[in-house]
Amino acid sequence: MKVSQNWLKKLVEINTTPEDLSEKLSIGGFEVESLEDCSKNVNGVVLGKVLSVSKHQGSDKLSICQVDIGNTNNLQIICGAHNIKPNIYVYVATIGAKLNAVSLTIKRSEIRGVLSEGMICSLQELGLQESSDGIEIIDEDLALKYDLGTQASKLLELDDYIYDLAITANRPDGMSVIGIAREISALLESKLNFPELNNKYNLNLLNKIQLCSEAITSNCVYTITCIDGVNGEKLSPRWIKDRIEKSGIKSINFLVDMTNYILLEQGQPLHAFDKDKLSILIGREVSADDFSVRKAKDSESLVCLDGKKYDLNENITIITCGNIPIAIAGVIGGLETSVTNTTSSIFLEGAVFNPVTIRKSSKEIGIRTESSSRYEKGISSKNTIGSITRAINLLDEFFGINLPTINTSHLISNDDIFIKLRRNRIHKILGPLIINEKFDKRNLSDTEIVDKLTLIGCSLKSKEYGWDVAVIPNRSNDLTREIDLIEEIARLIGYDKFDLNLPNPIKPGKLSPDQLALRKIKNGFIESGFNEVLSYSLVSEDNEDLIKISNPLLLETSCLRDNIWKEHLEIVNRNIKAGQTSCYVFEVGNIFYKNSENIQEEILNGAIFGNRKFGKWVNSGKDKDLNYYQARGKLKEALSSLNININDKPTNAIDFLHPGRTAKLLIEGKDAGYFGEIHPKLILEKKSLKNVYIFSLNIASLLGASTRKNKWIPLYKQYPVVPKMERDINFIFSKKYLISQITSEIRKTGKNLLEDVNLIDVFEDTNLGEDLISYTFRLSYRDKDKTLLDSDITSIHSNIISNVEKSFETKLRN
C-alpha cells in the first residue's frame, strides 16, 4: 500500500519527520518497506523565465537563451528545443543538479564555442513523463504564484514523501488511507480531520435481486446506484490525479479515478458500469433489479478490462445484468460495459463479498487486483454506504448530479457490538509499567487505558469490572475479543515499557512415555549410522486412490502421499549418482489413505543401501553390499533400545519388494510393517539404481508395545546362583516352518524350567531333500532354588521332543 504524506496531512496532523514516522509505523505493525522522497529527481531544478532567444551561429537547431532565475545575474543557456521562445516560464536545472532520469549532472560548459550555464528541462528529463515533445512550458497563472528561483518541487507538488507499507492480513484497515491516518493519529496522539459526508441520497431495499448465498453471506451486502448526468470526457482535478498516481494507480478519467480514489481513501472497492452499454447488452432499459450475483457456468466467458478473454467456471463468482456476465465479482470488470469518454450515466456498484469466494475467483483466473486484495483481507459492510456517499459527494461536486437512490440487498445495522474488557485481566496479562530508571513499577491507570482505545476510534462504557468497548467498523475484523483490545493497549503504549511478566507454571513440563520412546527410536537410528530425512507430504496425482487437497498451489503438490518409500528411494538414487557408496536414511512421518473415511497414519520408514565400513583393507578396498540378514540386523540394532520383540513372517504380497526376500514385521503378534529388498523389476526400470532394502513400521504399534509397564519400567531379577543345564536337539524340518514357530512351540512346552532356546546350527544338503533343512537348538534349563539333576528335566525334555515331532511332522536326529 503506497500513500503520500501530503494526502495523509489532509486527514491527520503529522508533527514529526518522515523518517521518525516510518519507524513508529513499523514498530506499531505497519512495516514501512520504503520511504521515497518525491523531490529527489528535481533537486537543483528551479522556476525560470526566458527573457530572450537568439540563434546560435554555429548550429541551425540550437538557441542562446537568457534566463532569469531570480538571481542578480541572468543565466546564459544553450537550448535545442523547437518550442523555445521569449517570455515563457520554464524549469531550469542549475549547475550541480543531478537529473537521474537521463543520468546527467549539470555542469558549466561550452557548446560550439558558446558558454552554457544550465539546462532548460522537459518533463521527460525530470523523470515525470515517459516522453515529451520539447521543453515544459509552465502555465503563466501557476508561475506567477511563485517567485523566480522557487524550487520546481513546489510547483510540481513534489515536496512529498511516499510511504510503501506492508499490510498484514490481520490489519485490513491499513488498506485505506483513512485507516493509516487513524493509526498515525494513535501513534502521534494527534488530531484527525476526516472529510464530512453529505448524505444526499435515497435508500431502497432490493427485494427481487438474486444473490449467491456463498458470496453474499449474512455480514455482506450488495448495492447498486444509478447516477445520471456525468461526463466521461472530464479529466480528474490535479489533486485527485496526484494522489492516486502516487499510490501507483494510473489516472484515466474522473469517473474511473473516482472509484479508485474511494478504494484508496476508504478501503471500499467500487465499480462503475456504463448504463447505456448495459441497456444495449440486455436489449432494454436497464434497472437495478436486472443485476444479480451468481456462480459462473462452464460454457461462459468474459472479456475483462485488461483486454483478455477469461473462460469461466463454477468456482468463479460473477456479476450479471439480465443474467449476462458483466464482471468477475470483486476482482475485475468487463470491457464491454466499462466507462469511456462517451459515458453519460453510470450504475455504481458497492459491495462486500465473502473473502473466500473472491480468493477462489482470483486464483481461478490467475490475477490479483487492488479490489481483490482488499476483499481477501476482509472489509466491513458498515463502511459500504458511507463510501458510496463519499463517491456521490464527489460526483455532485464536479457534475451537480440529481439526488440518487442507493439500492441495497439489505439494511446494515449500525448498532454497536460491545466487547467485555476487564481491568484485572489487563493487569494480569500485561503486568506493571516501568515508570523510571529506578525500575519503579505501577499498573496501567484507567485513564491510560481509555485514552489509548479512544485513539483507535473505540467508544467505551464504564462498568464495575472495567468497560464495554465498541469497535469502529474498519477494525471490526481484527478486534473481536478481549485479548485483541489488550494487545492494542500494549502496542500503543509500547511493549518495551512493560516489566517482564513470565508465567509461573504449577509444575514443570516433561515428555510423555510416547514422546520419550519416539526420541529413543530416533537416537537409536542415528547411533546406528542412519541419517534422519524429511520429505514432502504433498505429491502429484499418480493414481486415483490418493486423497486430493481442495486448494493445491501446483499440480505436483495436489495430493496427500500414501507412502514414503518412493521418496526415500529417490534420495538413495541421488546419493548413488553423487558417488556415495552407502546411504542409510529414516523418517518418522504421516501417510494418508482412503478407507470408509480419510485416514492419517504415522509411520517409521527408511532405506538401507551399501555397507558402511571404515576399514577398506578388510576386503581389499572392494565394497560388498549387505545381504538380507545383515540389513535386517541393522534395523534390529537401531530398535534395540526399545526392548521389544519384532518377528518376521515371509511374504510375497508387497509388489515393490523382492518376492523371496521380504517379510512382514509382527509386534505382539500383529502386523506392524514390512522389511524387504527392492524388487528386481524396479532396478530394470531404472527406478532403483542398486539393491536397496526398504522398511516400514507403524509408530502406534512400536510405541504401544515399548511403553507397556513391563517393558518401559526395568525389572531387576536376582542373579542366578545355581548352574544351568543344557541339552542340544536336532531335527529335520520342512522349509515352510519358521524358526519363530518352532522356538515358540518349544518355549510353550517347557515353560516351567526352560530358561532359553537358541538356534545354534543350520544345515542344508541335497541328501536331506530339496524342501528339507536341519536345525539344531540349544535348550537351557535352570531351577532358581536348586541344582538340577538329569531326572528333573527328563520328563520336560521328552515332552518338548514329542510335541515338536507331532507339531512339525519330524523326527529327532541322533
Side-chain angles (χ1 to χ4, degrees):
M1 174 73 181
K2 290 185 176 181
V3 60
S4 85
Q5 180 164 276
N6 286 348
W7 191 356
L8 288 170
K9 283 182 176 179
K10 295 289 184 180
L11 302 173
V12 62
E13 181 184 340
I14 297 177
N15 50 21
T16 187
T17 64
E19 292 76 17
D20 183 54
L21 180 57
S22 295
E23 185 177 352
K24 281 184 166 60
L25 284 169
S26 296
I27 293 173
F30 286 169
E31 182 187 355
V32 179
E33 293 187 323
S34 66
L35 178 64
E36 180 185 345
D37 182 357
C38 296
S39 65
K40 66 180 180 181
N41 287 332
V42 294
N43 285 336
V45 180
V46 299
L47 171 65
K49 182 179 182 180
V50 179
L51 301 176
S52 64
V53 178
S54 59
K55 191 165 183 59
H56 193 297
Q57 297 301 317
S59 172
D60 294 334
K61 295 182 178 181
L62 297 179
S63 301
I64 304 172
C65 307
Q66 296 297 320
V67 182
D68 183 3
I69 61 168
N71 292 342
T72 305
N73 298 320
N74 298 331
L75 298 181
Q76 179 174 282
I77 299 175
I78 307 299
C79 179
H82 66 86
N83 58 338
I84 188 70
K85 58 186 178 181
N87 298 317
I88 59 172
Y89 294 91
V90 292
Y91 294 115
V92 179
T94 58
I95 294 170
K98 293 182 179 179
L99 302 180
N100 296 323
V102 289
S103 302
L104 179 65
T105 300
I106 304 302
K107 301 176 182 177
R108 182 181 282 105
S109 60
E110 285 192 6
I111 300 176
R112 299 194 179 184
V114 178
L115 180 66
S116 181
E117 299 174 296
M119 178 176 173
I120 301 174
C121 302
S122 66
L123 292 183
Q124 180 185 3
E125 290 161 338
L126 297 179
L128 301 177
Q129 286 184 354
E130 292 184 3
S131 61
S132 296
D133 183 19
I135 59 170
E136 176 66 10
I137 298 175
I138 303 170
D139 183 80
E140 187 172 350
D141 292 337
L142 174 63
L144 291 175
K145 295 178 181 179
Y146 300 93
D147 295 330
L148 294 177
T150 300
Q151 291 292 321
S153 57
K154 288 189 176 181
L155 283 82
L156 293 166
E157 295 183 0
L158 293 178
D159 276 344
D160 198 1
Y161 288 85
I162 297 176
Y163 299 86
D164 190 357
L165 304 168
I167 307 300
T168 53
N170 66 320
R171 292 295 304 273
D173 59 300
M175 297 297 285
S176 68
V177 181
I178 279 181
I180 297 167
R182 190 180 293 279
E183 179 71 9
I184 292 171
S185 171
L187 293 172
L188 302 181
E189 299 185 7
S190 57
K191 294 182 180 179
L192 288 168
N193 182 32
F194 289 167
E196 292 185 5
L197 297 181
N198 184 2
N199 296 319
K200 294 177 60 177
Y201 60 82
N202 295 317
L203 202 60
N204 176 53
L205 191 61
L206 291 169
N207 295 316
K208 298 180 180 179
I209 190 169
Q210 300 294 315
L211 300 175
C212 172
S213 59
E214 183 185 342
I216 306 293
T217 56
S218 59
N219 59 343
C220 299
V221 67
Y222 186 82
T223 71
I224 194 78
T225 306
C226 181
I227 301 173
D228 298 318
V230 298
N231 183 357
E233 291 184 339
K234 188 174 181 66
L235 299 179
S236 296
R238 186 167 181 175
W239 61 272
I240 287 184
K241 182 178 179 181
D242 178 69
R243 291 176 184 181
I244 66 171
E245 288 188 343
K246 284 178 179 176
S247 295
I249 298 177
K250 184 179 179 182
S251 175
I252 298 174
N253 59 42
F254 178 72
L255 291 177
V256 176
D257 292 354
M258 178 271 300
T259 61
N260 288 327
Y261 183 80
I262 299 299
L263 169 90
L264 294 169
E265 183 186 78
Q266 304 288 331
Q268 169 68 59
L270 301 177
H271 185 73
F273 299 100
D274 188 306
K275 180 181 177 181
D276 295 333
K277 291 181 179 179
L278 289 172
S279 299
I280 294 171
L281 182 69
I282 66 173
R284 56 182 167 80
E285 184 72 18
V286 67
S287 70
D289 290 328
D290 291 317
F291 290 84
S292 66
V293 182
R294 65 170 172 84
K295 291 293 183 181
K297 301 172 184 176
D298 289 339
S299 58
E300 292 178 315
S301 62
L302 180 68
V303 179
C304 291
L305 290 171
D306 57 3
K308 296 180 181 178
K309 181 179 179 181
Y310 294 96
D311 294 324
L312 307 178
N313 59 56
E314 60 185 9
N315 291 323
I316 300 173
T317 305
I318 58 171
I319 309 298
T320 66
C321 185
N323 205 33
I324 300 172
I326 57 173
I328 297 173
V331 182
I332 191 171
L335 184 63
E336 190 175 358
T337 57
S338 64
V339 170
T340 61
N341 58 359
T342 61
T343 299
S344 58
S345 298
I346 62 170
F347 270 98
L348 185 64
E349 174 198 75
V352 174
F353 300 101
N354 180 1
V356 175
T357 61
I358 302 303
R359 196 174 299 116
K360 284 182 179 178
S361 298
S362 179
K363 183 179 176 183
E364 283 290 327
I365 64 175
I367 60 172
R368 196 162 185 261
T369 61
E370 291 285 345
S371 294
S372 68
S373 64
R374 282 163 176 79
Y375 281 125
E376 286 174 18
K377 285 182 170 66
I379 58 177
S380 174
S381 55
K382 290 185 177 181
N383 279 337
T384 303
I385 297 298
S387 299
I388 296 169
T389 303
R390 174 72 168 139
I392 291 171
N393 293 165
L394 288 173
L395 291 168
D396 186 44
E397 180 181 344
F398 284 90
F399 297 120
I401 60 175
N402 295 325
L403 184 69
T405 298
I406 301 176
N407 301 283
T408 179
S409 59
H410 61 275
L411 299 177
I412 301 297
S413 172
N414 289 320
D415 295 340
D416 289 329
I417 299 173
F418 289 96
I419 302 170
K420 182 179 179 180
L421 181 60
R422 295 165 292 176
R423 184 182 293 103
N424 60 354
R425 185 66 175 164
I426 296 172
H427 296 157
K428 183 177 180 180
I429 294 292
L430 299 182
L433 276 173
I434 300 173
I435 58 176
N436 54 36
E437 295 179 355
K438 296 180 180 179
F439 293 96
D440 292 333
K441 303 171 187 176
R442 65 168 176 81
N443 284 327
L444 284 173
S445 67
D446 285 4
T447 303
E448 288 172 314
I449 294 169
V450 171
D451 287 347
K452 294 305 177 186
L453 291 177
T454 304
L455 282 171
I456 59 172
C458 296
S459 56
L460 296 88
K461 291 183 178 180
S462 293
K463 299 289 181 180
E464 185 178 348
Y465 52 77
W467 303 269
D468 283 343
V469 182
V471 178
I472 58 173
N474 73 342
R475 294 300 303 276
S476 60
N477 286 335
D478 67 296
L479 299 182
T480 58
R481 304 167 299 166
E482 182 183 41
I483 194 66
D484 298 329
L485 296 173
I486 295 173
E487 182 185 3
E488 283 296 287
I489 294 167
R491 183 177 68 84
L492 294 172
I493 289 175
Y495 294 110
D496 57 325
K497 295 182 181 179
F498 289 93
D499 190 26
L500 293 176
N501 189 27
L502 297 176
N504 184 20
I506 298 172
K507 59 181 180 180
K510 62 179 181 178
L511 296 177
S512 66
D514 282 356
Q515 291 171 321
L516 287 169
L518 187 59
R519 185 170 289 187
K520 271 188 178 182
I521 290 171
K522 292 184 177 181
N523 289 339
F525 274 93
I526 292 168
E527 289 163 4
S528 298
F530 285 77
N531 290 310
E532 185 175 8
V533 296
L534 181 65
S535 55
Y536 290 114
S537 297
L538 300 177
V539 296
S540 59
E541 185 182 2
D542 54 5
N543 67 70
E544 295 181 354
D545 295 331
L546 295 177
I547 299 172
K548 298 179 182 178
I549 60 175
S550 58
N551 57 339
L553 292 175
L554 302 167
L555 288 175
E556 292 79 5
T557 56
S558 59
C559 297
L560 294 169
R561 66 185 177 190
D562 62 354
N563 70 80
I564 303 180
W565 70 266
K566 288 183 179 178
E567 183 61 33
H568 286 186
L569 193 59
E570 287 295 321
I571 292 171
V572 172
N573 286 341
R574 286 196 291 270
N575 276 268
I576 293 171
K577 289 177 181 177
Q580 298 296 322
T581 57
S582 64
C583 180
Y584 296 4
V585 296
F586 79 97
E587 177 178 355
V588 175
N590 292 312
I591 59 172
F592 311 84
Y593 54 88
K594 300 176 185 176
N595 205 334
S596 56
E597 57 185 15
N598 294 336
I599 296 174
Q600 175 178 316
E601 179 184 345
E602 189 176 22
I603 64 170
L604 166 68
N605 206 97
I608 301 172
F609 157 69
N611 194 351
R612 287 194 167 177
K613 283 189 176 179
F614 293 105
K616 300 285 185 181
W617 57 271
V618 176
N619 50 18
S620 303
K622 296 180 180 178
D623 291 320
K624 291 184 178 180
D625 290 339
L626 298 178
N627 61 35
Y628 177 89
Y629 300 103
Q630 290 172 319
R632 177 65 180 86
K634 286 290 181 184
L635 177 60
K636 182 178 180 180
E637 177 190 343
L639 295 171
S640 60
S641 62
L642 293 183
N643 193 29
I644 59 174
N645 292 322
I646 300 178
N647 297 317
D648 296 44
K649 184 178 180 180
T651 181
N652 297 331
I654 303 175
D655 58 359
F656 58 87
L657 294 179
H658 196 299
R661 298 173 188 170
T662 301
K664 287 186 177 180
L665 303 180
L666 307 178
I667 298 177
E668 298 180 331
K670 296 179 181 179
D671 189 359
Y674 59 80
F675 178 91
E677 183 181 319
I678 202 72
H679 200 291
K681 70 179 181 182
L682 295 182
I683 299 177
L684 292 174
E685 293 170 0
K686 302 297 183 183
K687 293 180 180 178
S688 177
L689 302 180
K690 295 282 186 179
N691 282 335
V692 178
Y693 297 95
I694 304 291
F695 62 85
S696 179
L697 281 162
N698 180 274
I699 286 291
S701 299
L702 274 173
L703 300 184
S706 63
T707 55
R708 298 197 193 287
K709 188 173 287 187
N710 63 332
K711 297 287 186 182
W712 189 248
I713 302 174
L715 297 176
Y716 297 96
K717 297 179 181 178
Q718 185 177 355
Y719 197 84
V721 294
V722 295
K724 64 182 176 181
M725 185 177 288
E726 294 181 338
R727 293 288 185 269
D728 292 349
I729 55 176
N730 177 261
F731 295 92
I732 297 176
F733 294 93
S734 170
K735 291 182 179 179
K736 68 181 180 180
Y737 297 118
L738 303 178
I739 298 293
S740 58
Q741 292 176 290
I742 301 169
T743 56
S744 177
E745 184 66 30
I746 294 171
R747 290 178 189 278
K748 187 167 61 176
T749 307
K751 59 184 177 181
N752 292 329
L753 295 177
L754 184 65
E755 184 180 73
D756 200 7
V757 180
N758 287 298
L759 177 68
I760 61 172
D761 185 62
V762 178
F763 177 72
E764 286 185 88
D765 192 88
T766 53
N767 294 329
L768 297 177
E770 289 186 0
D771 296 328
L772 300 176
I773 189 168
S774 171
Y775 294 139
T776 301
F777 297 93
R778 178 161 292 164
L779 282 58
S780 299
Y781 297 95
R782 195 194 308 264
D783 189 320
K784 63 179 181 178
D785 298 322
K786 66 175 185 178
T787 300
L788 292 173
L789 302 175
D790 281 344
S791 57
D792 295 325
I793 66 169
T794 300
S795 175
I796 294 175
H797 194 69
S798 297
N799 286 340
I800 289 173
I801 292 171
S802 61
N803 277 352
V804 170
E805 289 177 339
K806 183 179 179 181
S807 299
F808 300 102
E809 301 173 352
T810 184
K811 288 290 183 182
L812 181 69
R813 295 184 69 199
N814 295 327

